[in-house]
Amino acid sequence: MIAFFSANLLAQKDSIPTVLKTKKLKAKEILKNTGGIYQPLAPSKAAFYSAIFPGMGQIYNKKYWKAPIVWGALAIPAYYYQINNNDYKRFRTAYRLRSNGLVDEFNINGQIIISTETLETAQAQLRENRDMSLLTGVILYILQIVEASVNAHLLQFNTDDNLSFKPTIISDPIRFEAPTVGMKIKYTF
């Protein structure tokens, strides 16, 4: 019984749990200073949401003002695609009717308003414009997905005023009449 009692007297307090607790507190303070908890899946979620519905990734990133810009940017090529496609079909129908010897919409009372060569040229130009509108829409769609993902990545970084770019005009003592433009990079540790 004496040996059991003396073992309790000689025991020391373990210092490892206190070290771990302080490290956890420091990590929480770092996350608190960076604006929240680090979420490694946030960029992929933002990209997924943007792929499902354009602009939703920007809303997920809490950049609400970007969503109408995305919608407008995607609506413009969609509008021009529709206009060019309708005109292309109109000129193609007129060309087919005329090549079969029938009356088309550009042949009024036996008088031809637009020549057959012009119909061919208009078809080619409208098809090219339609395809360019489609390509522009696809590129903008992909760019808004990339923008949402990159923005979600950048939201997790700690940015402060210690690192900044300031363009300045540097006066050259030799050529005073022609100022030189330079860039000043300020950083602190």
Side-chain angles (χ1 to χ4, degrees):
M1 177 136 163
I2 293 176
F4 182 73
F5 183 69
S6 64
N8 284 338
L9 289 176
L10 297 175
Q12 295 179 356
K13 192 173 185 179
D14 192 9
S15 63
I16 294 175
T18 58
V19 172
L20 290 176
K21 286 180 184 177
T22 57
K23 286 187 179 182
K24 286 182 183 178
L25 287 176
K26 286 181 182 178
K28 286 183 180 178
E29 288 176 13
I30 290 170
L31 291 175
K32 184 178 178 183
N33 292 337
T34 59
I37 299 171
Y38 175 72
Q39 299 173 353
L41 296 179
S44 61
K45 275 186 181 179
F48 176 73
Y49 290 153
S50 281
I52 295 297
F53 184 76
M56 191 184 290
Q58 286 75 13
I59 292 171
Y60 172 76
N61 290 335
K62 294 183 175 72
K63 303 288 184 177
Y64 304 110
W65 61 274
K66 290 183 180 181
I69 294 172
V70 168
W71 297 330
L74 291 174
I76 291 170
Y79 171 77
Y80 282 111
Y81 176 85
Q82 182 181 6
I83 295 295
N84 287 319
N85 193 38
N86 290 340
D87 288 342
Y88 168 72
K89 288 178 181 178
R90 195 172 130 220
F91 280 92
R92 185 182 65 185
T93 302
Y95 178 76
R96 286 183 176 172
L97 289 172
R98 189 173 295 173
S99 60
N100 289 330
L102 300 172
V103 177
D104 58 84
E105 70 176 282
F106 301 111
N107 188 351
I108 300 174
N109 298 331
Q111 184 179 6
I112 297 175
I113 299 173
I114 297 178
S115 68
T116 307
E117 293 81 23
T118 305
L119 287 175
E120 290 177 15
T121 306
Q123 282 183 75
Q125 185 64 45
L126 288 167
R127 182 178 37 234
E128 183 180 335
N129 290 346
R130 179 195 65 184
D131 295 345
M132 275 304 216
S133 297
L134 180 64
L135 180 64
T136 303
V138 168
I139 289 171
L140 289 174
Y141 175 76
I142 292 170
L143 282 177
Q144 65 93 22
I145 294 171
V146 170
E147 192 277 330
S149 176
V150 169
N151 193 6
H153 273 290
L154 293 177
L155 285 176
Q156 297 184 21
F157 287 105
N158 184 11
T159 58
D160 56 6
D161 291 334
N162 289 336
L163 182 62
S164 61
F165 274 159
K166 290 191 177 183
T168 58
I169 296 178
I170 302 169
S171 61
D172 191 3
I174 297 172
R175 297 184 336 177
F176 184 72
E177 66 279 349
T180 307
V181 178
M183 187 170 296
K184 179 180 178 182
I185 301 173
K186 174 186 161 190
Y187 62 94
T188 57
F189 292 98

